[in-house]
Amino acid sequence: MRKAQSAVKSAADDKAAQLRALWKRYEHHCTQTNSCPSAGLRHDILQQIDRQEPLKKIMLSFPDCGPSDTVQPSLRPLLMALRDERYTHAQEFHIWSLSLKQKDIVELCRLLEKRGRTVYPFKSLELLDCKLTEGSLERLAKAAVISYLTTLCLDYTCVGPEGLKGLLSGGLGASGISSLSLCYCSLGSWSGALLASLLTNSSVRELYINGNELQCGGATELLKPVAENSQKVAEIQNRTTSITDETELISQRSNTASSRQKKAKSKGKKTKKKQEKTKSGHGAAGGPWLEKLHMCDNSIGGSGKEGLNHLNQFLEILCFIVKFSSCLTELDLGENHIGEDGGRRLLEALRERKEAKLSPIKIQVSTRMSTETFSAILKSAKELKSGKKRRKPKVQYKIM
């Protein structure tokens, strides 16, 4: 018992010693590079030392530093400290409001990649409000392909057409990224086709694009391949169900076999049916499918005669996905104005989804429709509370 307690205490002491060494090394590199250390990171490290736990979430931000300060913040001192101490406990890396140079991105990518003597198992990377060039985004995409990353957040970063093309040419679609967030990234209607290309045959299952300007045209282009894949999967499932029903009917008419044989056949059919159902799941047809789609505040509406036609096209594709996509769990259309007619069409799609016995989805829509339609939509689904903020979060850290 004493040996076990001693081992636990020794492990806790080692973790605390690692964190102290990491901070000292970080301060040293800040001094050498004439950079200011992050008070928030210091707070987190001291907190984890008190808890006797490793630092799994690295948050690097400098809310107290301004352009007039003589000592400016930098990412490189932290990257050098992590590499010097070979600190491999962290799994999340959050960097806020830093102007990252190409050298910074290259060093960050080297840390993420599964190369070198030490492998750093980061699964989540958030670059919030960081200035990134096309070359930086392309390099980041290449690193994601050979990393452990499953979540990538680039919110409040002005991506633009060339930046989005950089992510594509870097091979982001071939990475293991399953959750991609591009909220408030100045994406216009032009981005619909590029995002659709990124989604096709990729691992992305959660897409967050709140606060952009896709409008009806861009949103329609984005969802076309998703709708086509949903149709393929639905057709496969319908064929499987039809074949299974015919087999069961023939089996019921046959009364010549013994009861034991009937039970064995019934069990075999159930197993076969289950296997066929599994095969006809999300991966049965090639192409993209989404579990979570958040596209709040994207100027989707029917203003003007031409806009009404585009809105109808968007609603047709969206309702098709709602009716047939068995994997869809969340849909955020808040602050987009689909109107009363759009609300009714969406409500009908939700009812058809329920009749098909597909799992209910969490949904958010604009209140710019009748109270009856809005309430009926929320009754036919579950209300979704969006976790994405409209403005950049401002966090004040207490210096210890």
Side-chain angles (χ1 to χ4, degrees):
M1 187 66 177
R2 289 182 179 178
K3 288 183 179 180
Q5 291 177 347
S6 177
V8 172
K9 187 176 184 302
S10 177
D13 291 341
D14 289 342
K15 292 173 183 176
Q18 278 185 312
L19 287 173
R20 290 191 184 96
L22 177 64
W23 176 254
K24 287 182 180 179
R25 184 71 66 173
Y26 173 56
E27 278 191 316
H28 170 74
H29 285 305
C30 283
T31 302
Q32 294 294 318
T33 58
N34 195 29
S35 304
C36 62
S38 171
L41 180 60
R42 183 172 185 265
H43 172 270
D44 293 340
I45 288 177
L46 290 176
Q47 190 176 55
Q48 294 307 105
I49 290 174
D50 291 339
R51 293 175 177 175
Q52 297 183 338
E53 296 176 354
L55 183 67
K56 294 186 177 181
K57 180 178 179 180
I58 295 178
M59 176 76 73
L60 188 67
S61 65
F62 302 85
D64 298 327
C65 293
S68 60
D69 294 338
T70 55
V71 181
Q72 292 297 315
S74 176
L75 174 62
R76 280 187 294 165
L78 178 57
L79 297 179
M80 289 188 287
L82 290 169
R83 186 171 286 110
D84 290 346
E85 297 300 323
R86 295 188 178 181
Y87 191 81
T88 59
H89 297 289
Q91 296 183 356
E92 298 182 33
F93 207 154
H94 301 259
I95 305 169
W96 287 9
S97 303
L98 275 183
S99 182
L100 300 177
K101 299 178 181 178
Q102 186 68 22
K103 291 182 179 179
D104 297 331
I105 292 295
V106 170
E107 291 301 318
L108 174 62
C109 290
R110 287 176 180 173
L111 197 74
L112 296 173
E113 294 170 344
K114 300 176 184 177
R115 292 176 177 174
R117 297 178 181 177
T118 307
V119 176
Y120 301 87
F122 287 103
K123 295 182 179 179
S124 177
L125 176 65
E126 181 181 67
L127 300 177
L128 189 70
D129 189 27
C130 294
K131 295 180 180 179
L132 299 173
T133 63
E134 175 193 351
S136 296
L137 290 168
E138 184 177 356
R139 181 66 181 88
L140 191 62
K142 290 179 179 179
V145 176
I146 51 175
S147 72
Y148 288 102
L149 287 180
T150 58
T151 300
L152 178 61
C153 176
L154 300 174
D155 293 354
Y156 298 100
T157 298
C158 186
V159 175
E162 298 304 320
L164 200 51
K165 289 178 183 178
L167 290 175
L168 280 167
S169 60
L172 188 66
S175 69
I177 300 293
S178 60
S179 179
L180 177 63
S181 186
L182 296 170
C183 297
Y184 306 95
C185 288
S186 302
L187 302 178
S189 57
W190 50 265
S191 65
L194 293 175
L195 288 171
S197 178
L198 180 61
L199 286 178
T200 303
N201 298 322
S202 75
S203 300
V204 175
R205 301 296 175 251
E206 300 176 6
L207 182 63
Y208 302 86
I209 50 173
N210 298 341
N212 288 295
E213 291 287 332
L214 264 72
Q215 303 178 25
C216 294
T220 301
E221 290 296 321
L222 166 63
L223 295 182
K224 272 183 181 178
V226 181
E228 290 171 359
N229 190 55
S230 298
Q231 184 178 14
K232 290 178 183 178
V233 173
E235 289 174 353
I236 292 172
Q237 289 175 340
N238 289 335
R239 286 200 300 268
T240 303
T241 303
S242 177
I243 292 171
T244 304
D245 291 342
E246 289 179 7
T247 304
E248 288 179 351
L249 182 61
I250 294 172
S251 178
Q252 288 173 3
R253 290 177 178 176
S254 177
N255 297 318
T256 57
S258 64
S259 59
R260 184 177 297 178
Q261 289 175 331
K262 285 182 180 180
K263 288 182 180 179
K265 287 181 180 180
S266 178
K267 185 177 180 181
K269 286 168 190 171
K270 287 181 180 178
T271 305
K272 187 177 179 181
K273 183 178 178 181
K274 186 176 181 181
Q275 290 174 349
E276 288 174 344
K277 187 176 181 181
T278 303
K279 288 180 182 179
S280 63
H282 309 323
W289 50 270
L290 291 172
E291 293 179 359
K292 299 180 181 181
L293 175 61
H294 290 227
M295 50 196 318
C296 172
D297 190 16
N298 264 274
S299 300
I300 296 173
S303 57
K305 185 177 180 181
E306 192 69 23
L308 188 59
N309 292 332
H310 288 167
L311 177 60
N312 287 331
Q313 293 175 9
F314 166 73
L315 288 171
E316 183 179 357
I317 288 180
L318 178 69
C319 290
F320 193 93
I321 295 173
V322 170
K323 286 188 288 186
F324 297 108
S325 179
S326 59
C327 59
L328 187 65
T329 61
E330 292 184 10
L331 176 63
D332 189 355
L333 291 173
E335 299 187 40
N336 293 302
H337 311 309
I338 62 175
E340 174 67 16
D341 181 60
R344 289 179 180 177
R345 292 172 67 176
L346 182 59
L347 175 60
E348 184 62 28
L350 288 169
R351 287 172 175 169
E352 288 188 33
R353 180 184 181 88
K354 189 175 181 180
E355 289 176 2
K357 297 182 179 180
L358 298 181
S359 58
I361 62 176
K362 293 181 180 179
I363 196 168
Q364 181 65 265
V365 292
S366 170
T367 56
R368 290 195 179 184
M369 60 183 70
S370 68
T371 306
E372 294 78 11
T373 303
F374 182 79
S375 300
I377 288 175
L378 296 185
K379 286 181 181 179
S380 300
K382 298 179 180 179
E383 186 175 4
L384 173 66
K385 294 182 180 180
S386 180
K388 293 286 183 179
K389 297 181 180 179
R390 184 179 300 180
R391 297 180 180 178
K392 303 170 191 177
K394 295 182 180 180
V395 182
Q396 294 181 354
Y397 294 98
K398 183 178 179 182
I399 301 176
M400 299 181 65

